[in-house]
Amino acid sequence: MSKSYRVRCREINDNFSGTFVFNNATLEAPGLLPGELAEVSLLYGKDKGKAVVNEIIEASDKRINPPCPVYRECGGCSLMHTTYDNQLQIKENYCRKLLSKFGKVSKIEGMDNPYNYRNKIHSTFSKNKKGDIVSGLYEETSHRVVEVDKCLVEDERASEVIKTIRELMKKYRVMPYNEDKGVGIIRHVLLRVAENGDTLVAIVVGSNVFPDKHKFAEKITANHPFVKSVVLNYNLKKTSLVLGEREEILAGSGFIVDRMCGIEFRISAKSFYQVNRVLAERIYMDAIREAGIGAKDKVLDAYCGIGTIGLAVAKHTGAERVVGVELNGAAVADAISNAKRSGLSNVTFVQGDAGDYLDSVGSEEKFSCIIMDPPRSGASLKFIKSVLRMKPEKIIYISCNPVTLARDLSELTKKNYRAELIRPYDMFCHSSHVETVCLLSKKR
Ligand code: SAH
């Protein structure tokens, strides 16, 4: 054990770690809160500048005992050591620091119940040192599986199904897949849960041979009637990606149907879908209402995924025309089928790069409102320049990364646009992520 030092925490930094000064350098320790006195060990090599907390000597009144027993090892959550109110405050302060220069940052919107919100659940299977079959998540920095019996942020039904799968594996002697040796069968299990509880179970296998697959599916659906479909996903490659290409349906239709913003979405194992339905719905409906989109508007939904926002706009505002653009072909196909199912005729979807698309439509298509929901890397400069050339009345920027949002806002607000509203939402409770909505309008 390396030497322990007693330090006093000063602030929370942008990684949501606590900072302290040691030998004139500012270092950080995950899980430390401002004002706290703690014993820490310093890390070296690639982790230089970081420390681990060995013991809290004087605790902050905002500290709580993390309700999850594997909180420290797992790495999925990073704020469970503090009250939910303080988590919200930390995220709000972070957004204020990065975004206040563009306009007033509103109070963060949190969840009434910040637990069990994830509707997409992933569990990896392995054997522990004793040879027992275990399931959970990979440790943040290694390939070791941290055993998770009940994850507090996931839909409660998931843990029950995963437990059944572990028991069935024991009963039928189905081994977890061992990537290094290339032996065994089950690699991962992925679950998708709809609002009404309908669940899709995808069993990801590393082998073409799984003799008891039909018995597995039968037992899972018999024990858990809310499981409406079971699929096998074949992932025979040495890869960190969870899902492979090939899929075989063992029970049900291979998809579930969920409702968001009053629209039905067909979700298969591979579909992209927001993991927190409750907040996603609130964000989209707030943004549509606050931007005042009406029947005269022509709306672009850029980075549209399976069309969630564009379809909500088409349904609830009666906008004259809505176009969604998205790079991923499978997501576009889902978007088109979602539009058909909901009988909306004022919306179309295009596959391509958002920047290329907007650049190429030139003056043929004039959007009055542009909604953008890019990935963490933010929008491309080509896209932003095309937006500025088109001069829509309104821009709604939905961002999952305040750093790239700030970068893009500095371009968008340089001349013609003003941020009317900037509001963070706690879409990923207990994690270090925060979603932000920014409404921009053209200066008069
Ligand atoms: N608005 C959607 C998805 C947002 S996630 C929803 O709410 O569900 C961001 C999306 O941007 C992903 O679907 C990703 O495939 C897509 N994307 C990434 N780069 C892109 C690009 N250059 N052009 C268009 N879409 C892109």
Side-chain angles (χ1 to χ4, degrees), residues 272 274 284 303-305 308-309 325-328 352-354 373-375:
F272 175 87
Q274 292 290 351
Y284 300 159
Y303 307 90
C304 71
T308 335
I309 306 173
V325 59
E326 160 65 43
L327 198 57
N328 180 322
D353 169 76
D373 184 10

Side-chain angles (χ1 to χ4, degrees), residues 429-443:
C429 315
H430 307 288
S431 83
S432 56
H433 297 290
V434 55
E435 190 89 354
T436 311
V437 174
C438 178
L439 301 185
L440 297 146
S441 65
K442 205 154 77 180
K443 288 185 193 159

Side-chain angles (χ1 to χ4, degrees), residues 260 272-274 280 284 301-310 325-329 331 350-356 371-380 383 398 400 427 435:
M260 175 156 50
F272 175 87
Y273 192 61
Q274 292 290 351
Y284 300 159
D301 176 11
Y303 307 90
C304 71
I306 58 165
T308 335
I309 306 173
V325 59
E326 160 65 43
L327 198 57
N328 180 322
V350 181
Q351 195 234 319
D353 169 76
D356 288 348
I371 303 174
M372 51 197 282
D373 184 10
R376 288 186 60 74
S377 52
S380 67
F383 179 78
I398 301 175
C400 54
M427 179 124 109
E435 190 89 354

Side-chain angles (χ1 to χ4, degrees), residues 354-369:
D356 288 348
Y357 169 75
L358 203 59
D359 191 42
S360 70
V361 294
S363 53
E364 286 161 38
E365 185 107 70
K366 171 117 180 67
F367 294 106
S368 57
C369 174

Side-chain angles (χ1 to χ4, degrees), residues 358 362 365-370 383-395 412 415-417 441-444:
L358 203 59
E365 185 107 70
K366 171 117 180 67
F367 294 106
S368 57
C369 174
I370 291 184
F383 179 78
I384 296 202
K385 287 200 164 141
S386 307
V387 172
L388 292 173
R389 253 198 316 276
M390 187 169 280
K391 300 193 186 68
E393 289 300 315
K394 295 169 264 225
I395 303 169
L412 288 166
K415 268 197 195 148
N416 295 325
Y417 287 90
S441 65
K442 205 154 77 180
K443 288 185 193 159
R444 303 256 159 231

Side-chain angles (χ1 to χ4, degrees), residues 150-377:
K150 201 176 165 82
C151 169
L152 301 177
V153 296
E154 294 171 355
D155 190 289
E156 275 170 313
R157 285 163 280 235
S159 325
E160 297 171 32
V161 177
I162 291 168
K163 185 164 172 244
T164 299
I165 294 175
R166 277 199 311 267
E167 286 165 2
L168 290 171
M169 287 172 76
K170 232 164 134 183
K171 185 169 170 192
Y172 294 108
R173 294 177 191 279
V174 175
M175 287 300 131
Y177 180 74
N178 180 318
E179 203 177 86
D180 298 327
K181 298 188 185 137
V183 295
I185 298 182
I186 297 186
R187 297 181 86 151
H188 313 275
V189 166
L190 189 82
L191 287 100
R192 316 294 299 255
V193 187
E195 191 181 14
N196 64 2
D198 285 2
T199 299
L200 167 73
V201 178
I203 303 175
V204 185
V205 290
S207 155
N208 273 320
V209 187
F210 183 4
D212 292 306
K213 58 190 179 188
H214 294 291
K215 271 190 223 149
F216 257 65
E218 267 166 40
K219 297 274 181 205
I220 294 170
T221 49
N223 283 349
H224 308 286
F226 56 83
V227 174
K228 300 297 178 202
S229 183
V230 180
V231 301
L232 262 198
N233 178 284
Y234 292 90
N235 186 357
L236 309 189
K237 290 196 189 131
K238 201 171 167 119
T239 166
S240 58
L241 292 179
V242 175
L243 295 173
E245 277 300 312
R246 191 155 56 93
E247 216 171 76
E248 177 185 346
I249 298 176
L250 298 178
S253 56
F255 60 84
I256 48 165
V257 175
D258 198 16
R259 283 182 81 81
M260 175 156 50
C261 303
I263 296 157
E264 288 191 347
F265 293 93
R266 223 168 105 150
I267 298 151
S268 62
K270 287 183 207 157
S271 302
F272 175 87
Y273 192 61
Q274 292 290 351
V275 296
N276 181 343
R277 177 192 321 99
V278 174
L279 261 226
E281 183 167 57
R282 208 153 103 201
I283 291 172
Y284 300 159
M285 296 311 282
D286 282 358
I288 292 170
R289 190 184 61 251
E290 285 166 336
I293 301 171
K296 287 209 183 82
D297 279 306
K298 281 192 183 165
V299 182
L300 176 69
D301 176 11
Y303 307 90
C304 71
I306 58 165
T308 335
I309 306 173
L311 290 167
V313 171
K315 185 175 169 93
H316 297 284
T317 66
E320 186 183 322
R321 181 169 156 70
V322 181
V323 178
V325 59
E326 160 65 43
L327 198 57
N328 180 322
V332 173
D334 279 344
I336 293 170
S337 88
N338 291 330
K340 271 204 194 111
R341 282 162 67 84
S342 46
L344 293 164
S345 55
N346 53 344
V347 53
T348 51
F349 292 95
V350 181
Q351 195 234 319
D353 169 76
D356 288 348
Y357 169 75
L358 203 59
D359 191 42
S360 70
V361 294
S363 53
E364 286 161 38
E365 185 107 70
K366 171 117 180 67
F367 294 106
S368 57
C369 174
I370 291 184
I371 303 174
M372 51 197 282
D373 184 10
R376 288 186 60 74
S377 52

Side-chain angles (χ1 to χ4, degrees), residues 96-151:
R96 287 237 150 87
K97 189 175 124 194
L98 288 170
L99 303 169
S100 285
K101 55 178 171 285
F102 304 106
K104 184 174 176 296
V105 175
S106 310
K107 199 171 152 36
I108 188 169
E109 292 273 326
M111 288 194 81
D112 294 340
N113 171 17
Y115 295 98
N116 307 114
Y117 63 86
R118 281 190 67 95
N119 56 34
K120 176 182 175 183
I121 296 101
H122 163 221
S123 198
T124 295
F125 284 71
S126 175
K127 264 194 201 170
N128 68 9
K129 280 195 187 125
K130 285 190 282 175
D132 299 328
I133 295 167
V134 295
S135 62
L137 290 168
Y138 283 126
E139 196 176 42
E140 217 178 352
T141 49
S142 77
H143 226 52
R144 191 179 77 86
V145 170
V146 177
E147 285 179 53
V148 183
D149 284 336
K150 201 176 165 82
C151 169

